[in-house]
Amino acid sequence: MDLQAVVDSLPRYGEPLLTTIVVTVASAAVALVVAFALGLMTSSKHLAVRTPARAFVEFIRGSSAVVQLFWFAFAMPVLLGIQFDYLIAAGIIALGLNYGAYSSEVVRGAIAAVPKGQLEAATALNLTPLQKMRLVVLPQAWPEMIPSLCAFAIMLLKASALVSIIGVMDITALAGLIGSQAGQDRLVHYSVVLVMYFILAWLIWTGMRALERKAKRGLGLDAKPVKGRLAPEVAAGGVR
Protein backbone atom coordinates (compact mmCIF):
# COMPACT_ATOMS: atom_id res chain seq x y z
CA MET A 1 0.00 0.00 0.00
CA ASP A 2 1.27 3.46 -0.92
CA LEU A 3 0.49 5.68 2.07
CA GLN A 4 1.16 8.84 0.10
CA ALA A 5 -1.40 7.75 -2.51
CA VAL A 6 -3.98 7.39 0.26
CA VAL A 7 -3.21 10.86 1.64
CA ASP A 8 -3.35 12.40 -1.84
CA SER A 9 -6.79 10.86 -2.42
CA LEU A 10 -8.36 12.36 0.71
CA PRO A 11 -9.39 15.68 -0.94
CA ARG A 12 -11.57 13.65 -3.31
CA TYR A 13 -13.91 12.98 -0.37
CA GLY A 14 -15.00 16.63 -0.25
CA GLU A 15 -17.89 16.47 -2.71
CA PRO A 16 -19.13 12.99 -1.65
CA LEU A 17 -19.03 14.15 1.99
CA LEU A 18 -21.24 17.09 1.03
CA THR A 19 -23.57 14.64 -0.70
CA THR A 20 -23.82 12.55 2.47
CA ILE A 21 -24.58 15.65 4.55
CA VAL A 22 -27.20 16.88 2.06
CA VAL A 23 -28.91 13.48 1.95
CA THR A 24 -28.95 13.25 5.74
CA VAL A 25 -30.20 16.80 6.39
CA ALA A 26 -32.80 16.79 3.59
CA SER A 27 -34.06 13.31 4.52
CA ALA A 28 -34.28 14.34 8.18
CA ALA A 29 -36.35 17.39 7.20
CA VAL A 30 -38.72 15.22 5.15
CA ALA A 31 -38.86 12.65 7.95
CA LEU A 32 -39.71 15.32 10.55
CA VAL A 33 -42.62 16.65 8.47
CA VAL A 34 -43.89 13.12 7.78
CA ALA A 35 -43.47 12.13 11.44
CA PHE A 36 -45.54 15.06 12.72
CA ALA A 37 -48.21 14.62 10.04
CA LEU A 38 -48.60 10.88 10.67
CA GLY A 39 -48.16 11.25 14.44
CA LEU A 40 -50.96 13.80 14.64
CA MET A 41 -53.17 11.72 12.35
CA THR A 42 -52.66 8.51 14.32
CA SER A 43 -53.46 10.46 17.51
CA SER A 44 -56.77 11.61 16.09
CA LYS A 45 -60.04 10.46 17.65
CA HIS A 46 -61.59 10.14 14.20
CA LEU A 47 -61.32 6.69 12.68
CA ALA A 48 -61.40 8.07 9.12
CA VAL A 49 -58.23 10.05 9.87
CA ARG A 50 -56.46 7.51 12.04
CA THR A 51 -56.92 4.39 9.90
CA PRO A 52 -55.24 5.55 6.64
CA ALA A 53 -52.33 6.98 8.59
CA ARG A 54 -51.89 3.76 10.56
CA ALA A 55 -52.06 1.68 7.36
CA PHE A 56 -49.41 3.88 5.70
CA VAL A 57 -47.10 3.66 8.72
CA GLU A 58 -47.36 -0.13 8.90
CA PHE A 59 -46.80 -0.51 5.17
CA ILE A 60 -43.67 1.67 5.15
CA ARG A 61 -42.27 0.07 8.28
CA GLY A 62 -43.07 -3.41 7.04
CA SER A 63 -41.27 -3.06 3.71
CA SER A 64 -37.56 -2.87 2.97
CA ALA A 65 -35.85 0.52 2.77
CA VAL A 66 -33.65 -0.83 -0.02
CA VAL A 67 -36.70 -1.86 -2.06
CA GLN A 68 -38.25 1.54 -1.43
CA LEU A 69 -35.11 3.19 -2.76
CA PHE A 70 -35.21 1.09 -5.92
CA TRP A 71 -38.96 1.75 -6.30
CA PHE A 72 -38.60 5.54 -6.19
CA ALA A 73 -35.47 5.54 -8.36
CA PHE A 74 -36.41 2.99 -11.04
CA ALA A 75 -39.92 1.54 -10.69
CA MET A 76 -41.90 4.75 -10.19
CA PRO A 77 -40.68 6.34 -13.47
CA VAL A 78 -41.90 3.25 -15.36
CA LEU A 79 -45.20 2.72 -13.54
CA LEU A 80 -46.29 6.31 -12.93
CA GLY A 81 -44.25 8.23 -15.47
CA ILE A 82 -42.76 10.36 -12.67
CA GLN A 83 -39.00 10.65 -12.86
CA PHE A 84 -36.61 12.66 -10.74
CA ASP A 85 -34.00 14.74 -12.51
CA TYR A 86 -31.44 13.59 -9.94
CA LEU A 87 -31.30 10.18 -8.21
CA ILE A 88 -30.37 11.91 -4.97
CA ALA A 89 -33.95 13.24 -4.80
CA ALA A 90 -35.30 9.68 -4.94
CA GLY A 91 -32.97 8.70 -2.12
CA ILE A 92 -34.00 11.67 0.02
CA ILE A 93 -37.72 10.98 -0.39
CA ALA A 94 -37.39 7.22 0.19
CA LEU A 95 -35.31 7.64 3.35
CA GLY A 96 -37.46 10.53 4.56
CA LEU A 97 -40.66 8.51 4.24
CA ASN A 98 -39.11 5.44 5.83
CA TYR A 99 -37.71 7.17 8.90
CA GLY A 100 -40.68 9.52 9.07
CA ALA A 101 -42.96 6.50 9.47
CA TYR A 102 -40.83 5.15 12.30
CA SER A 103 -40.54 8.55 13.97
CA SER A 104 -44.30 9.07 13.84
CA GLU A 105 -44.61 6.64 16.74
CA VAL A 106 -42.32 8.91 18.76
CA VAL A 107 -44.60 11.87 18.04
CA ARG A 108 -47.75 9.89 18.82
CA GLY A 109 -46.33 8.55 22.09
CA ALA A 110 -45.12 11.97 23.25
CA ILE A 111 -48.51 13.53 22.52
CA ALA A 112 -50.28 10.72 24.40
CA ALA A 113 -47.97 11.29 27.40
CA VAL A 114 -49.18 14.87 27.96
CA PRO A 115 -51.22 14.82 31.20
CA LYS A 116 -54.98 14.80 30.66
CA GLY A 117 -55.32 17.57 33.21
CA GLN A 118 -53.52 19.90 30.84
CA LEU A 119 -56.08 19.22 28.13
CA GLU A 120 -58.94 19.68 30.56
CA ALA A 121 -57.48 23.03 31.63
CA ALA A 122 -57.16 24.06 27.99
CA THR A 123 -60.80 23.10 27.42
CA ALA A 124 -61.81 25.14 30.44
CA LEU A 125 -60.03 28.12 28.89
CA ASN A 126 -62.15 27.62 25.76
CA LEU A 127 -59.15 27.00 23.50
CA THR A 128 -59.79 25.60 20.05
CA PRO A 129 -58.30 22.17 19.15
CA LEU A 130 -55.59 23.91 17.12
CA GLN A 131 -54.75 26.23 20.00
CA LYS A 132 -54.62 23.25 22.40
CA MET A 133 -52.16 21.47 20.15
CA ARG A 134 -50.01 24.54 19.45
CA LEU A 135 -50.00 26.13 22.91
CA VAL A 136 -50.42 23.21 25.31
CA VAL A 137 -49.66 19.80 23.82
CA LEU A 138 -46.69 20.31 21.48
CA PRO A 139 -44.62 22.55 23.81
CA GLN A 140 -44.78 19.78 26.45
CA ALA A 141 -44.40 16.86 24.04
CA TRP A 142 -41.49 18.29 22.05
CA PRO A 143 -38.77 17.86 24.75
CA GLU A 144 -39.87 14.25 25.19
CA MET A 145 -39.51 13.58 21.45
CA ILE A 146 -35.99 14.93 21.05
CA PRO A 147 -33.93 12.01 22.51
CA SER A 148 -35.70 9.45 20.32
CA LEU A 149 -35.60 11.72 17.28
CA CYS A 150 -31.87 12.14 17.89
CA ALA A 151 -31.42 8.36 17.73
CA PHE A 152 -33.41 8.20 14.51
CA ALA A 153 -31.36 11.06 13.03
CA ILE A 154 -28.14 9.17 13.69
CA MET A 155 -29.66 6.01 12.22
CA LEU A 156 -30.69 8.05 9.19
CA LEU A 157 -27.12 9.31 8.81
CA LYS A 158 -25.85 5.76 8.67
CA ALA A 159 -28.67 4.70 6.35
CA SER A 160 -27.69 7.49 3.95
CA ALA A 161 -25.00 5.11 2.68
CA LEU A 162 -27.81 3.15 0.98
CA VAL A 163 -28.11 5.84 -1.69
CA SER A 164 -24.89 4.48 -3.16
CA ILE A 165 -26.79 1.40 -4.42
CA ILE A 166 -28.89 3.57 -6.76
CA GLY A 167 -25.85 5.32 -8.20
CA VAL A 168 -25.38 8.33 -5.90
CA MET A 169 -21.71 8.99 -5.17
CA ASP A 170 -21.45 9.44 -1.40
CA ILE A 171 -18.47 8.77 0.86
CA THR A 172 -19.23 5.04 1.10
CA ALA A 173 -19.37 4.61 -2.68
CA LEU A 174 -16.18 6.63 -3.14
CA ALA A 175 -14.32 4.58 -0.51
CA GLY A 176 -15.10 1.41 -2.46
CA LEU A 177 -14.17 3.04 -5.76
CA ILE A 178 -10.82 4.46 -4.64
CA GLY A 179 -9.98 1.41 -2.55
CA SER A 180 -10.15 -0.83 -5.61
CA GLN A 181 -7.52 1.20 -7.48
CA ALA A 182 -3.84 0.29 -7.69
CA GLY A 183 -1.78 1.45 -4.71
CA GLN A 184 -4.86 1.93 -2.54
CA ASP A 185 -6.26 -0.13 0.32
CA ARG A 186 -10.00 -0.58 0.88
CA LEU A 187 -9.46 -1.19 4.59
CA VAL A 188 -7.81 2.21 5.02
CA HIS A 189 -10.46 4.06 3.02
CA TYR A 190 -13.36 2.38 4.78
CA SER A 191 -11.67 3.23 8.08
CA VAL A 192 -11.53 6.88 6.98
CA VAL A 193 -15.23 6.74 6.18
CA LEU A 194 -15.97 5.20 9.60
CA VAL A 195 -14.28 8.18 11.25
CA MET A 196 -16.29 10.58 9.05
CA TYR A 197 -19.57 8.94 10.06
CA PHE A 198 -18.56 9.03 13.71
CA ILE A 199 -17.79 12.76 13.58
CA LEU A 200 -21.08 13.51 11.81
CA ALA A 201 -23.01 11.38 14.35
CA TRP A 202 -21.29 13.18 17.22
CA LEU A 203 -22.25 16.55 15.74
CA ILE A 204 -25.88 15.43 15.44
CA TRP A 205 -25.91 14.17 19.04
CA THR A 206 -24.32 17.38 20.34
CA GLY A 207 -26.79 19.57 18.45
CA MET A 208 -29.82 17.57 19.57
CA ARG A 209 -28.67 17.61 23.19
CA ALA A 210 -28.39 21.39 23.04
CA LEU A 211 -31.86 21.57 21.49
CA GLU A 212 -33.25 19.33 24.23
CA ARG A 213 -31.77 21.48 26.98
CA LYS A 214 -33.19 24.61 25.36
CA ALA A 215 -36.65 23.03 25.04
CA LYS A 216 -36.64 21.94 28.68
CA ARG A 217 -35.48 25.33 29.89
CA GLY A 218 -38.43 26.82 28.03
CA LEU A 219 -40.71 24.71 30.24
CA GLY A 220 -38.70 25.34 33.39
CA LEU A 221 -37.72 21.66 33.60
CA ASP A 222 -33.98 22.15 33.42
CA ALA A 223 -33.64 25.29 35.52
CA LYS A 224 -30.79 25.14 38.03
CA PRO A 225 -30.26 27.58 40.90
CA VAL A 226 -27.36 29.97 40.46
CA LYS A 227 -24.39 28.94 42.60
CA GLY A 228 -24.41 30.73 45.91
CA ARG A 229 -28.09 31.66 45.67
CA LEU A 230 -31.24 30.03 46.94
CA ALA A 231 -33.61 28.47 44.47
CA PRO A 232 -36.59 30.79 43.74
CA GLU A 233 -39.05 28.64 45.72
CA VAL A 234 -36.73 28.53 48.74
CA ALA A 235 -36.13 32.28 48.64
CA ALA A 236 -39.88 32.82 48.53
CA GLY A 237 -40.45 30.49 51.46
CA GLY A 238 -42.04 27.87 49.25
CA VAL A 239 -40.31 24.90 50.93
CA ARG A 240 -42.01 23.63 54.03
Side-chain angles (χ1 to χ4, degrees):
M1 181 189 66
D2 185 353
L3 185 59
Q4 186 59 43
V6 173
V7 174
D8 291 342
S9 65
L10 293 180
R12 295 174 61 183
Y13 282 97
E15 187 173 345
L17 177 59
L18 180 61
T19 298
T20 295
I21 294 173
V22 168
V23 169
T24 301
V25 172
S27 298
V30 172
L32 190 62
V33 173
V34 171
F36 269 90
L38 294 176
L40 292 172
M41 291 175 69
T42 52
S43 300
S44 175
K45 298 179 180 179
H46 303 289
L47 190 63
V49 175
R50 190 171 66 249
T51 301
R54 173 56 58 190
F56 181 81
V57 168
E58 295 304 326
F59 176 78
I60 294 295
R61 295 198 307 174
S63 55
S64 169
V66 174
V67 176
Q68 292 167 18
L69 276 167
F70 279 118
W71 193 89
F72 277 100
F74 306 118
M76 188 174 71
V78 176
L79 297 177
L80 304 180
I82 301 174
Q83 186 167 358
F84 296 104
D85 292 334
Y86 301 98
L87 286 175
I88 191 173
I92 289 170
I93 292 176
L95 292 176
L97 288 176
N98 188 277
Y99 280 86
Y102 280 100
S103 301
S104 67
E105 288 298 291
V106 174
V107 176
R108 184 193 61 80
I111 290 175
V114 175
K116 299 299 182 183
Q118 298 286 334
L119 298 178
E120 293 172 357
T123 301
L125 292 173
N126 200 30
L127 297 181
T128 65
L130 181 60
Q131 288 175 322
K132 289 180 187 178
M133 186 61 63
R134 182 172 63 87
L135 300 176
V136 179
V137 176
L138 289 182
Q140 296 183 71
W142 174 239
E144 303 302 320
M145 300 178 196
I146 294 176
S148 296
L149 292 179
C150 175
F152 277 119
I154 293 174
M155 291 170 61
L156 179 55
L157 165 66
K158 294 181 286 186
S160 68
L162 292 175
V163 299
S164 62
I165 66 177
I166 60 172
V168 177
M169 184 58 68
D170 69 331
I171 54 177
T172 301
L174 185 65
L177 179 63
I178 299 179
S180 63
Q181 297 174 355
Q184 302 288 350
D185 190 330
R186 278 194 177 133
L187 177 61
V188 174
H189 284 281
Y190 281 128
S191 298
V192 170
V193 169
L194 282 176
V195 173
M196 289 182 182
Y197 278 117
F198 171 77
I199 293 173
L200 291 174
W202 180 81
L203 290 174
I204 291 173
W205 180 83
T206 302
M208 294 295 277
R209 283 288 295 167
L211 184 62
E212 181 184 3
R213 288 194 294 269
K214 181 179 179 180
K216 287 186 175 181
R217 282 198 300 269
L219 294 177
L221 300 177
D222 202 27
K224 297 180 181 179
V226 179
K227 187 175 180 180
R229 297 182 183 179
L230 292 176
E233 61 272 16
V234 177
V239 176
R240 298 290 185 265

